[in-house]
Amino acid sequence: MNHKILDKLVELSFNSLEGHAAHTDKCHTSYVVCKGSILAVGHNKPRKTHPRAAAYEYPTIHSELDAVLRLPRGTELSKCTLVNFRLSISS
Protein backbone atom coordinates (compact mmCIF):
# COMPACT_ATOMS: atom_id res chain seq x y z
CA MET A 1 0.00 0.00 0.00
CA ASN A 2 1.42 3.37 -0.93
CA HIS A 3 1.76 6.37 1.36
CA LYS A 4 -0.78 8.42 -0.60
CA ILE A 5 -3.67 6.04 0.14
CA LEU A 6 -2.50 5.54 3.75
CA ASP A 7 -2.42 9.32 4.29
CA LYS A 8 -5.97 9.51 2.89
CA LEU A 9 -7.16 6.79 5.29
CA VAL A 10 -5.61 8.60 8.27
CA GLU A 11 -7.32 11.84 7.22
CA LEU A 12 -10.70 10.11 6.81
CA SER A 13 -10.33 8.43 10.20
CA PHE A 14 -9.57 11.66 12.03
CA ASN A 15 -12.50 13.34 10.27
CA SER A 16 -14.83 10.58 11.49
CA LEU A 17 -13.96 11.28 15.15
CA GLU A 18 -16.47 14.13 15.40
CA GLY A 19 -19.43 11.90 14.62
CA HIS A 20 -18.47 9.39 17.29
CA ALA A 21 -17.84 11.82 20.14
CA ALA A 22 -21.31 11.36 21.64
CA HIS A 23 -21.08 7.57 21.83
CA THR A 24 -17.59 6.89 23.15
CA ASP A 25 -14.15 8.44 23.47
CA LYS A 26 -12.72 5.90 20.99
CA CYS A 27 -13.41 5.46 17.31
CA HIS A 28 -12.67 2.26 15.39
CA THR A 29 -12.72 2.57 11.62
CA SER A 30 -11.81 -0.14 9.11
CA TYR A 31 -11.19 0.19 5.39
CA VAL A 32 -11.05 -2.47 2.70
CA VAL A 33 -8.60 -1.30 0.05
CA CYS A 34 -7.86 -2.91 -3.31
CA LYS A 35 -5.48 -1.54 -5.95
CA GLY A 36 -5.43 1.89 -4.32
CA SER A 37 -9.21 2.23 -4.10
CA ILE A 38 -11.32 2.22 -0.95
CA LEU A 39 -13.99 -0.43 -1.53
CA ALA A 40 -15.69 -0.28 1.87
CA VAL A 41 -15.63 1.56 5.19
CA GLY A 42 -16.82 0.12 8.49
CA HIS A 43 -17.34 1.44 12.01
CA ASN A 44 -17.99 -0.22 15.36
CA LYS A 45 -21.69 -0.55 16.03
CA PRO A 46 -21.96 -1.13 19.80
CA ARG A 47 -25.76 -1.27 19.74
CA LYS A 48 -26.14 -3.66 16.79
CA THR A 49 -25.47 -7.33 16.23
CA HIS A 50 -25.21 -9.62 13.24
CA PRO A 51 -25.20 -13.43 12.86
CA ARG A 52 -21.60 -13.28 11.63
CA ALA A 53 -20.55 -11.37 14.74
CA ALA A 54 -22.11 -14.05 16.91
CA ALA A 55 -20.22 -16.72 14.97
CA TYR A 56 -16.99 -15.13 16.23
CA GLU A 57 -18.37 -14.80 19.77
CA TYR A 58 -18.60 -11.01 19.60
CA PRO A 59 -21.82 -9.54 20.94
CA THR A 60 -21.76 -6.52 18.59
CA ILE A 61 -20.57 -5.54 15.12
CA HIS A 62 -16.90 -4.55 15.01
CA SER A 63 -15.58 -2.18 12.37
CA GLU A 64 -13.74 -4.94 10.52
CA LEU A 65 -16.90 -7.00 10.07
CA ASP A 66 -18.92 -3.90 9.16
CA ALA A 67 -16.44 -3.08 6.38
CA VAL A 68 -16.49 -6.63 5.01
CA LEU A 69 -20.30 -6.72 5.08
CA ARG A 70 -20.37 -3.51 3.02
CA LEU A 71 -18.24 -4.94 0.21
CA PRO A 72 -19.87 -5.48 -3.16
CA ARG A 73 -20.85 -9.11 -3.72
CA GLY A 74 -18.15 -11.13 -5.41
CA THR A 75 -15.24 -9.04 -4.13
CA GLU A 76 -12.07 -11.16 -4.13
CA LEU A 77 -10.88 -10.65 -0.55
CA SER A 78 -7.50 -12.26 -1.16
CA LYS A 79 -6.60 -9.26 -3.34
CA CYS A 80 -7.67 -6.69 -0.74
CA THR A 81 -6.09 -5.18 2.35
CA LEU A 82 -7.98 -4.49 5.57
CA VAL A 83 -6.73 -1.40 7.40
CA ASN A 84 -7.98 -0.63 10.90
CA PHE A 85 -7.62 2.55 12.95
CA ARG A 86 -8.39 2.96 16.64
CA LEU A 87 -8.37 6.61 17.58
CA SER A 88 -9.06 8.24 20.91
CA ILE A 89 -10.85 11.55 21.16
CA SER A 90 -9.26 12.33 24.51
CA SER A 91 -5.65 11.96 23.38
Coordinates of all heavy atoms in Angstrom, one line a residue:
M1 N 0.9 -1.2 0.0 CA 0.0 0.0 0.0 C 0.9 1.2 0.0 O 1.8 1.3 0.8 CB -0.9 0.0 1.2 CG -1.8 1.2 1.3 SD -2.9 1.1 2.7 CE -3.7 -0.4 2.5
N2 N 0.6 2.2 -0.9 CA 1.4 3.4 -0.9 C 1.0 4.4 0.1 O 0.0 4.4 0.7 CB 1.4 4.0 -2.4 CG 0.0 4.5 -2.7 OD1 -0.6 5.2 -1.9 ND2 -0.4 4.3 -4.0
H3 N 1.9 5.4 0.3 CA 1.8 6.4 1.4 C 0.6 7.3 1.0 O -0.1 7.8 2.0 CB 3.0 7.2 1.5 CG 4.1 6.4 2.2 ND1 4.1 6.1 3.5 CD2 5.2 5.8 1.7 CE1 5.2 5.4 3.8 NE2 5.9 5.2 2.7
K4 N 0.3 7.5 -0.2 CA -0.8 8.4 -0.6 C -2.1 7.9 -0.1 O -2.9 8.6 0.5 CB -0.8 8.6 -2.1 CG -1.8 9.6 -2.6 CD -1.7 9.8 -4.1 CE -2.7 10.7 -4.6 NZ -2.7 10.9 -6.0
I5 N -2.4 6.6 -0.3 CA -3.7 6.0 0.1 C -3.7 5.9 1.7 O -4.7 6.2 2.3 CB -4.0 4.7 -0.5 CG1 -5.4 4.2 -0.2 CG2 -3.0 3.6 -0.1 CD1 -6.5 5.0 -0.8
L6 N -2.6 5.6 2.3 CA -2.5 5.5 3.7 C -2.8 6.9 4.4 O -3.5 7.0 5.3 CB -1.2 5.0 4.2 CG -1.0 4.6 5.7 CD1 -2.1 3.6 6.1 CD2 0.3 4.0 5.9
D7 N -2.2 8.0 3.8 CA -2.4 9.3 4.3 C -3.9 9.7 4.2 O -4.5 10.3 5.1 CB -1.6 10.3 3.5 CG -0.1 10.3 3.8 OD1 0.3 9.6 4.9 OD2 0.7 10.8 3.1
K8 N -4.5 9.3 3.1 CA -6.0 9.5 2.9 C -6.8 8.8 4.0 O -7.8 9.4 4.5 CB -6.4 9.1 1.5 CG -7.8 9.2 1.2 CD -8.2 10.7 1.1 CE -9.6 10.8 0.6 NZ -10.1 12.2 0.6
L9 N -6.4 7.6 4.3 CA -7.2 6.8 5.3 C -7.0 7.4 6.7 O -8.0 7.5 7.4 CB -6.7 5.3 5.3 CG -6.9 4.5 4.1 CD1 -6.3 3.1 4.2 CD2 -8.4 4.5 3.7
V10 N -5.8 7.9 7.0 CA -5.6 8.6 8.3 C -6.5 9.9 8.3 O -7.1 10.1 9.3 CB -4.1 9.0 8.5 CG1 -3.9 9.9 9.6 CG2 -3.3 7.7 8.6
E11 N -6.5 10.6 7.3 CA -7.3 11.8 7.2 C -8.8 11.5 7.4 O -9.5 12.2 8.2 CB -7.1 12.6 5.9 CG -7.9 13.8 5.7 CD -7.8 14.4 4.3 OE1 -6.9 14.0 3.6 OE2 -8.6 15.3 4.0
L12 N -9.3 10.5 6.7 CA -10.7 10.1 6.8 C -11.0 9.7 8.2 O -12.1 10.0 8.8 CB -11.0 9.0 5.8 CG -11.1 9.4 4.4 CD1 -11.2 8.1 3.5 CD2 -12.2 10.3 4.1
S13 N -10.1 8.9 8.8 CA -10.3 8.4 10.2 C -10.4 9.6 11.2 O -11.3 9.6 12.1 CB -9.2 7.4 10.6 OG -9.3 6.3 9.8
F14 N -9.5 10.5 11.1 CA -9.6 11.7 12.0 C -10.8 12.5 11.8 O -11.4 13.0 12.8 CB -8.3 12.5 11.9 CG -7.2 12.1 12.8 CD1 -6.1 11.4 12.2 CD2 -7.2 12.2 14.1 CE1 -5.0 11.0 13.0 CE2 -6.2 11.8 14.9 CZ -5.1 11.1 14.3
N15 N -11.3 12.6 10.6 CA -12.5 13.3 10.3 C -13.7 12.6 10.8 O -14.7 13.3 11.2 CB -12.7 13.5 8.8 CG -11.7 14.5 8.2 OD1 -11.1 15.3 8.9 ND2 -11.5 14.5 6.9
S16 N -13.7 11.3 11.0 CA -14.8 10.6 11.5 C -14.9 10.6 13.0 O -15.9 10.2 13.6 CB -14.8 9.1 11.0 OG -13.8 8.4 11.7
L17 N -13.9 11.2 13.7 CA -14.0 11.3 15.1 C -15.1 12.1 15.6 O -15.7 11.8 16.6 CB -12.7 11.9 15.7 CG -11.5 10.9 15.9 CD1 -10.3 11.7 16.3 CD2 -11.8 9.9 16.9
E18 N -15.4 13.2 15.0 CA -16.5 14.1 15.4 C -17.8 13.4 15.5 O -18.6 13.7 16.5 CB -16.6 15.3 14.4 CG -15.4 16.2 14.5 CD -15.5 17.4 13.5 OE1 -16.6 17.6 13.0 OE2 -14.4 18.0 13.2
G19 N -18.1 12.6 14.6 CA -19.4 11.9 14.6 C -19.6 10.9 15.7 O -20.7 10.4 16.1
H20 N -18.4 10.4 16.3 CA -18.5 9.4 17.3 C -18.3 9.9 18.7 O -18.4 9.2 19.7 CB -17.4 8.4 17.0 CG -17.6 7.5 15.8 ND1 -17.5 8.0 14.6 CD2 -18.1 6.3 15.7 CE1 -17.8 7.0 13.7 NE2 -18.2 6.0 14.4
A21 N -18.1 11.2 18.8 CA -17.8 11.8 20.1 C -19.0 11.6 21.2 O -18.7 11.4 22.3 CB -17.6 13.3 20.0
A22 N -20.2 11.5 20.7 CA -21.3 11.4 21.6 C -21.4 9.9 22.2 O -22.0 9.7 23.3 CB -22.6 11.7 20.9
H23 N -20.9 9.0 21.4 CA -21.1 7.6 21.8 C -20.0 7.1 22.7 O -20.2 6.3 23.7 CB -21.2 6.7 20.6 CG -22.2 7.1 19.6 ND1 -23.6 7.1 19.9 CD2 -22.1 7.5 18.4 CE1 -24.2 7.5 18.9 NE2 -23.4 7.8 17.9
T24 N -18.7 7.4 22.4 CA -17.6 6.9 23.2 C -16.4 7.8 22.9 O -16.4 8.6 22.0 CB -17.3 5.4 22.7 OG1 -16.1 5.0 23.4 CG2 -17.0 5.4 21.2
D25 N -15.3 7.6 23.7 CA -14.1 8.4 23.5 C -13.2 7.8 22.5 O -12.1 8.3 22.2 CB -13.4 8.7 24.8 CG -12.8 7.5 25.4 OD1 -13.3 6.4 25.2 OD2 -11.8 7.7 26.2
K26 N -13.6 6.6 22.0 CA -12.7 5.9 21.0 C -13.5 5.7 19.7 O -14.7 5.5 19.7 CB -12.2 4.6 21.6 CG -11.3 4.8 22.7 CD -10.9 3.4 23.3 CE -10.0 3.6 24.5 NZ -10.6 4.4 25.6
C27 N -12.8 5.7 18.6 CA -13.4 5.5 17.3 C -12.6 4.4 16.6 O -11.4 4.6 16.4 CB -13.4 6.8 16.5 SG -14.1 6.6 14.9
H28 N -13.3 3.3 16.2 CA -12.7 2.3 15.4 C -13.2 2.4 14.0 O -14.4 2.4 13.8 CB -13.0 0.9 15.9 CG -12.4 0.6 17.3 ND1 -11.5 -0.3 17.5 CD2 -12.7 1.1 18.5 CE1 -11.1 -0.4 18.7 NE2 -11.9 0.5 19.4
T29 N -12.3 2.5 13.0 CA -12.7 2.6 11.6 C -11.9 1.6 10.8 O -10.7 1.5 11.0 CB -12.5 4.0 11.1 OG1 -13.2 4.9 11.9 CG2 -13.0 4.1 9.6
S30 N -12.5 0.8 10.0 CA -11.8 -0.1 9.1 C -12.1 0.2 7.7 O -13.2 0.6 7.3 CB -12.3 -1.6 9.4 OG -11.8 -2.0 10.7
Y31 N -11.1 0.0 6.8 CA -11.2 0.2 5.4 C -10.8 -1.1 4.7 O -9.8 -1.7 5.0 CB -10.3 1.3 5.0 CG -10.5 2.6 5.7 CD1 -9.9 2.9 6.9 CD2 -11.5 3.5 5.2 CE1 -10.1 4.1 7.5 CE2 -11.7 4.7 5.8 CZ -11.0 5.0 7.0 OH -11.3 6.2 7.6
V32 N -11.5 -1.4 3.6 CA -11.0 -2.5 2.7 C -10.5 -1.8 1.5 O -11.3 -1.0 0.8 CB -12.2 -3.5 2.4 CG1 -11.7 -4.5 1.4 CG2 -12.7 -4.1 3.6
V33 N -9.3 -2.0 1.2 CA -8.6 -1.3 0.1 C -8.1 -2.3 -1.0 O -7.6 -3.4 -0.6 CB -7.4 -0.5 0.6 CG1 -6.7 0.2 -0.6 CG2 -7.8 0.5 1.6
C34 N -8.3 -2.0 -2.2 CA -7.9 -2.9 -3.3 C -7.3 -2.1 -4.5 O -8.1 -1.2 -5.0 CB -9.0 -3.8 -3.8 SG -8.5 -5.1 -4.9
K35 N -6.1 -2.3 -4.8 CA -5.5 -1.5 -5.9 C -5.6 0.0 -5.8 O -5.9 0.7 -6.7 CB -6.1 -2.0 -7.3 CG -5.8 -3.4 -7.6 CD -6.5 -3.8 -8.9 CE -6.2 -5.3 -9.1 NZ -6.9 -5.8 -10.4
G36 N -5.4 0.5 -4.6 CA -5.4 1.9 -4.3 C -6.8 2.5 -4.2 O -6.9 3.7 -4.0
S37 N -7.9 1.7 -4.2 CA -9.2 2.2 -4.1 C -9.8 1.7 -2.8 O -9.7 0.6 -2.4 CB -10.1 1.8 -5.3 OG -9.6 2.3 -6.5
I38 N -10.6 2.6 -2.2 CA -11.3 2.2 -1.0 C -12.6 1.6 -1.4 O -13.5 2.2 -2.0 CB -11.6 3.4 -0.1 CG1 -10.3 4.1 0.4 CG2 -12.4 3.0 1.2 CD1 -10.5 5.5 1.0
L39 N -12.8 0.3 -1.1 CA -14.0 -0.4 -1.5 C -15.1 -0.4 -0.5 O -16.3 -0.4 -0.8 CB -13.7 -1.9 -1.8 CG -12.7 -2.2 -2.9 CD1 -12.5 -3.7 -3.1 CD2 -13.1 -1.5 -4.2
A40 N -14.7 -0.3 0.8 CA -15.7 -0.3 1.9 C -15.1 0.3 3.1 O -13.9 0.3 3.4 CB -16.2 -1.7 2.2
V41 N -16.0 1.0 3.9 CA -15.6 1.6 5.2 C -16.6 1.0 6.3 O -17.8 0.9 6.0 CB -15.8 3.1 5.1 CG1 -15.4 3.7 6.5 CG2 -15.0 3.7 4.0
G42 N -16.0 0.6 7.4 CA -16.8 0.1 8.5 C -16.5 0.8 9.8 O -15.4 1.3 10.0
H43 N -17.5 0.8 10.7 CA -17.3 1.4 12.0 C -17.9 0.5 13.0 O -18.8 -0.3 12.7 CB -18.1 2.8 12.1 CG -17.7 3.8 11.2 ND1 -16.5 4.6 11.4 CD2 -18.2 4.2 10.0 CE1 -16.4 5.4 10.3 NE2 -17.4 5.2 9.5
N44 N -17.4 0.6 14.3 CA -18.0 -0.2 15.4 C -19.4 0.2 15.5 O -19.8 1.4 15.4 CB -17.2 0.0 16.7 CG -16.0 -0.9 16.8 OD1 -15.7 -1.6 15.9 ND2 -15.4 -0.8 18.0
K45 N -20.3 -0.8 15.8 CA -21.7 -0.5 16.0 C -22.1 -1.2 17.4 O -22.5 -2.3 17.4 CB -22.5 -1.1 14.9 CG -22.2 -0.4 13.6 CD -23.2 -0.7 12.5 CE -23.1 0.1 11.3 NZ -22.1 1.0 11.1
P46 N -21.8 -0.5 18.5 CA -22.0 -1.1 19.8 C -23.4 -1.5 20.2 O -23.6 -2.2 21.1 CB -21.4 -0.1 20.7 CG -21.4 1.2 20.0 CD -21.3 0.9 18.6
R47 N -24.4 -1.0 19.4 CA -25.8 -1.3 19.7 C -26.4 -2.2 18.7 O -27.6 -2.4 18.8 CB -26.5 0.0 19.8 CG -26.1 0.9 21.0 CD -26.9 2.2 21.1 NE -26.5 3.0 22.2 CZ -25.5 3.9 22.1 NH1 -24.9 4.2 21.0 NH2 -25.2 4.6 23.2
K48 N -25.6 -2.8 17.8 CA -26.1 -3.7 16.8 C -25.4 -5.0 16.8 O -24.2 -5.1 17.2 CB -26.0 -3.0 15.4 CG -26.9 -1.8 15.2 CD -27.0 -1.4 13.8 CE -28.0 -0.2 13.6 NZ -28.1 0.2 12.3
T49 N -26.1 -6.0 16.3 CA -25.5 -7.3 16.2 C -25.7 -7.9 14.8 O -26.5 -7.3 14.1 CB -26.0 -8.3 17.3 OG1 -25.2 -9.5 17.3 CG2 -27.5 -8.6 17.1
H50 N -25.1 -9.0 14.5 CA -25.2 -9.6 13.2 C -24.9 -11.1 13.4 O -24.0 -11.4 14.3 CB -24.2 -9.0 12.2 CG -24.5 -9.4 10.8 ND1 -23.9 -10.6 10.3 CD2 -25.1 -8.8 9.8 CE1 -24.3 -10.7 9.1 NE2 -25.0 -9.6 8.7
P51 N -25.5 -12.0 12.7 CA -25.2 -13.4 12.9 C -23.7 -13.7 12.7 O -23.2 -14.6 13.4 CB -26.0 -14.1 11.8 CG -27.2 -13.2 11.5 CD -26.6 -11.8 11.7
R52 N -23.0 -13.0 11.8 CA -21.6 -13.3 11.6 C -20.8 -12.8 12.8 O -19.8 -13.4 13.1 CB -21.1 -12.6 10.4 CG -21.6 -13.3 9.1 CD -20.8 -12.9 7.9 NE -21.4 -13.6 6.8 CZ -21.0 -13.2 5.5 NH1 -20.1 -12.3 5.3 NH2 -21.5 -13.9 4.5
A53 N -21.2 -11.8 13.5 CA -20.5 -11.4 14.7 C -20.7 -12.4 15.8 O -19.7 -12.8 16.5 CB -21.1 -10.0 15.2
A54 N -21.9 -13.0 15.9 CA -22.1 -14.1 16.9 C -21.3 -15.3 16.6 O -20.8 -16.0 17.5 CB -23.6 -14.4 16.9
A55 N -21.0 -15.6 15.3 CA -20.2 -16.7 15.0 C -18.8 -16.6 15.5 O -18.1 -17.6 15.7 CB -20.2 -16.9 13.5
Y56 N -18.3 -15.4 15.7 CA -17.0 -15.1 16.2 C -17.0 -14.8 17.7 O -16.0 -14.3 18.3 CB -16.3 -14.0 15.4 CG -16.0 -14.4 14.0 CD1 -16.8 -13.9 13.0 CD2 -15.0 -15.3 13.7 CE1 -16.6 -14.3 11.7 CE2 -14.8 -15.6 12.4 CZ -15.6 -15.1 11.4 OH -15.3 -15.5 10.1
E57 N -18.2 -15.0 18.3 CA -18.4 -14.8 19.8 C -18.2 -13.3 20.2 O -17.8 -13.0 21.3 CB -17.5 -15.7 20.6 CG -17.7 -17.2 20.3 CD -16.8 -18.1 21.2 OE1 -16.2 -17.6 22.1 OE2 -16.8 -19.3 20.8
Y58 N -18.5 -12.4 19.3 CA -18.6 -11.0 19.6 C -20.1 -10.6 19.7 O -20.9 -11.0 18.9 CB -17.9 -10.2 18.5 CG -16.5 -10.3 18.4 CD1 -15.9 -10.9 17.3 CD2 -15.6 -9.9 19.4 CE1 -14.5 -11.1 17.2 CE2 -14.3 -10.0 19.3 CZ -13.7 -10.6 18.2 OH -12.4 -10.8 18.1
P59 N -20.4 -9.9 20.8 CA -21.8 -9.5 20.9 C -22.3 -8.4 20.0 O -23.5 -8.3 19.8 CB -21.9 -9.1 22.4 CG -20.5 -8.6 22.7 CD -19.6 -9.5 21.9
T60 N -21.4 -7.6 19.5 CA -21.8 -6.5 18.6 C -20.9 -6.5 17.3 O -20.0 -7.3 17.2 CB -21.6 -5.2 19.3 OG1 -20.2 -5.0 19.6 CG2 -22.4 -5.1 20.6
I61 N -21.3 -5.6 16.4 CA -20.6 -5.5 15.1 C -19.3 -4.7 15.3 O -19.4 -3.5 15.7 CB -21.5 -4.9 14.0 CG1 -22.7 -5.8 13.8 CG2 -20.7 -4.7 12.7 CD1 -23.7 -5.3 12.8
H62 N -18.2 -5.3 15.0 CA -16.9 -4.6 15.0 C -16.7 -3.9 13.6 O -17.2 -4.3 12.6 CB -15.8 -5.5 15.4 CG -15.7 -5.9 16.8 ND1 -14.6 -5.9 17.5 CD2 -16.7 -6.2 17.7 CE1 -14.8 -6.3 18.8 NE2 -16.1 -6.5 18.9
S63 N -15.8 -2.9 13.6 CA -15.6 -2.2 12.4 C -15.1 -3.1 11.2 O -15.4 -2.9 10.1 CB -14.6 -1.0 12.6 OG -13.3 -1.5 13.0
E64 N -14.3 -4.1 11.6 CA -13.7 -4.9 10.5 C -14.9 -5.7 9.8 O -14.9 -5.8 8.6 CB -12.7 -5.9 11.1 CG -11.5 -5.3 11.8 CD -11.7 -5.0 13.3 OE1 -12.9 -5.0 13.7 OE2 -10.7 -4.8 13.9
L65 N -15.8 -6.3 10.6 CA -16.9 -7.0 10.1 C -17.8 -6.1 9.3 O -18.3 -6.4 8.2 CB -17.7 -7.7 11.2 CG -18.9 -8.5 10.7 CD1 -18.6 -9.5 9.7 CD2 -19.7 -9.0 11.9
D66 N -18.1 -4.9 9.8 CA -18.9 -3.9 9.2 C -18.4 -3.6 7.8 O -19.1 -3.5 6.8 CB -19.0 -2.6 10.0 CG -20.1 -1.7 9.5 OD1 -21.1 -2.1 9.0 OD2 -19.8 -0.4 9.5
A67 N -17.1 -3.4 7.7 CA -16.4 -3.1 6.4 C -16.6 -4.3 5.4 O -17.0 -4.1 4.2 CB -15.0 -2.7 6.6
V68 N -16.4 -5.5 5.9 CA -16.5 -6.6 5.0 C -17.9 -6.8 4.6 O -18.2 -7.1 3.4 CB -15.9 -7.9 5.7 CG1 -16.3 -9.2 4.9 CG2 -14.4 -7.8 5.9
L69 N -18.9 -6.6 5.4 CA -20.3 -6.7 5.1 C -20.7 -5.7 4.0 O -21.7 -5.9 3.3 CB -21.2 -6.6 6.3 CG -21.1 -7.7 7.3 CD1 -21.9 -7.4 8.6 CD2 -21.6 -9.0 6.7
R70 N -20.0 -4.6 4.0 CA -20.4 -3.5 3.0 C -19.7 -3.7 1.6 O -20.0 -2.9 0.7 CB -20.0 -2.2 3.6 CG -20.8 -1.8 4.8 CD -20.2 -0.5 5.4 NE -21.0 -0.1 6.6 CZ -22.1 0.6 6.5 NH1 -22.6 1.1 5.4 NH2 -22.8 0.9 7.7
L71 N -18.9 -4.7 1.5 CA -18.2 -4.9 0.2 C -19.2 -5.4 -0.8 O -20.2 -6.1 -0.5 CB -17.2 -6.0 0.3 CG -15.9 -5.6 1.0 CD1 -15.0 -6.9 1.3 CD2 -15.1 -4.7 0.2
P72 N -19.0 -5.0 -2.1 CA -19.9 -5.5 -3.2 C -19.8 -7.0 -3.3 O -18.7 -7.6 -3.0 CB -19.3 -4.8 -4.4 CG -18.5 -3.7 -3.9 CD -18.0 -4.1 -2.6
R73 N -20.9 -7.7 -3.6 CA -20.8 -9.1 -3.7 C -19.8 -9.5 -4.8 O -19.6 -8.8 -5.8 CB -22.2 -9.6 -4.2 CG -23.2 -9.6 -3.1 CD -24.5 -10.4 -3.5 NE -25.5 -10.3 -2.5 CZ -25.6 -11.1 -1.5 NH1 -24.8 -12.1 -1.4 NH2 -26.6 -11.0 -0.7
G74 N -19.1 -10.6 -4.5 CA -18.2 -11.1 -5.4 C -16.8 -10.5 -5.3 O -15.9 -10.9 -6.1
T75 N -16.6 -9.6 -4.3 CA -15.2 -9.0 -4.1 C -14.2 -10.1 -3.7 O -14.5 -10.9 -2.8 CB -15.3 -8.0 -3.0 OG1 -16.2 -6.9 -3.4 CG2 -13.9 -7.3 -2.8
E76 N -13.1 -10.2 -4.4 CA -12.1 -11.2 -4.1 C -11.2 -10.6 -3.0 O -10.3 -9.8 -3.1 CB -11.2 -11.4 -5.4 CG -10.1 -12.4 -5.2 CD -10.6 -13.8 -4.9 OE1 -11.6 -14.2 -5.6 OE2 -10.1 -14.4 -4.0
L77 N -11.5 -11.1 -1.8 CA -10.9 -10.6 -0.6 C -9.4 -10.9 -0.5 O -8.6 -10.1 0.1 CB -11.5 -11.3 0.7 CG -12.9 -10.8 1.0 CD1 -13.5 -11.5 2.2 CD2 -12.9 -9.3 1.3
S78 N -8.9 -11.9 -1.2 CA -7.5 -12.3 -1.2 C -6.7 -11.2 -1.9 O -5.5 -11.1 -1.7 CB -7.2 -13.6 -1.8 OG -7.6 -13.6 -3.2
K79 N -7.3 -10.3 -2.6 CA -6.6 -9.3 -3.3 C -6.8 -7.9 -2.6 O -6.3 -6.9 -3.1 CB -7.1 -9.2 -4.8 CG -6.8 -10.4 -5.5 CD -7.3 -10.3 -7.0 CE -7.1 -11.7 -7.6 NZ -6.8 -11.7 -9.0
C80 N -7.4 -7.9 -1.5 CA -7.7 -6.7 -0.7 C -6.8 -6.6 0.5 O -6.3 -7.6 1.0 CB -9.2 -6.6 -0.4 SG -10.3 -6.6 -1.8
T81 N -6.8 -5.4 1.1 CA -6.1 -5.2 2.4 C -7.1 -4.6 3.3 O -7.8 -3.6 2.9 CB -4.9 -4.2 2.2 OG1 -4.0 -4.8 1.2 CG2 -4.2 -4.0 3.5
L82 N -7.1 -5.1 4.5 CA -8.0 -4.5 5.6 C -7.1 -3.6 6.5 O -6.1 -4.1 7.0 CB -8.6 -5.6 6.4 CG -9.5 -5.1 7.5 CD1 -10.8 -4.5 7.0 CD2 -9.8 -6.2 8.5
V83 N -7.5 -2.3 6.6 CA -6.7 -1.4 7.4 C -7.7 -0.9 8.5 O -8.8 -0.5 8.3 CB -6.3 -0.2 6.6 CG1 -5.5 0.8 7.4 CG2 -5.5 -0.6 5.4
N84 N -7.2 -1.0 9.8 CA -8.0 -0.6 10.9 C -7.3 0.5 11.7 O -6.1 0.4 12.0 CB -8.2 -1.9 11.8 CG -9.1 -1.6 13.0 OD1 -8.6 -1.2 14.0 ND2 -10.4 -1.7 12.8
F85 N -8.1 1.5 12.1 CA -7.6 2.5 12.9 C -8.4 2.6 14.2 O -9.7 2.4 14.2 CB -7.8 3.9 12.3 CG -6.9 4.1 11.1 CD1 -7.3 3.8 9.8 CD2 -5.6 4.6 11.3 CE1 -6.4 4.0 8.7 CE2 -4.7 4.8 10.2 CZ -5.2 4.5 8.9
R86 N -7.7 2.8 15.3 CA -8.4 3.0 16.6 C -7.9 4.3 17.2 O -6.7 4.4 17.5 CB -8.0 1.8 17.6 CG -8.7 2.0 19.0 CD -8.3 0.8 19.9 NE -8.9 0.9 21.1 CZ -8.4 1.3 22.3 NH1 -7.1 1.6 22.3 NH2 -9.0 1.3 23.4
L87 N -8.8 5.3 17.2 CA -8.4 6.6 17.6 C -9.1 7.0 18.8 O -10.3 6.6 19.0 CB -8.7 7.6 16.5 CG -8.1 7.3 15.1 CD1 -8.6 8.3 14.1 CD2 -6.6 7.4 15.2
S88 N -8.5 7.8 19.7 CA -9.1 8.2 20.9 C -9.3 9.7 20.8 O -8.4 10.5 20.4 CB -8.1 7.9 22.1 OG -8.6 8.5 23.3
I89 N -10.5 10.1 21.2 CA -10.9 11.6 21.2 C -10.1 12.3 22.3 O -9.7 13.4 22.1 CB -12.4 11.7 21.3 CG1 -13.1 11.1 20.1 CG2 -12.8 13.2 21.6 CD1 -14.6 11.0 20.3
S90 N -9.9 11.6 23.4 CA -9.3 12.3 24.5 C -7.7 12.5 24.4 O -7.2 13.2 25.2 CB -9.6 11.6 25.8 OG -9.2 10.2 25.7
S91 N -7.1 11.8 23.5 CA -5.6 12.0 23.4 C -5.2 12.0 22.0 O -5.8 11.7 21.0 CB -4.9 10.8 24.1 OG -5.3 9.6 23.6

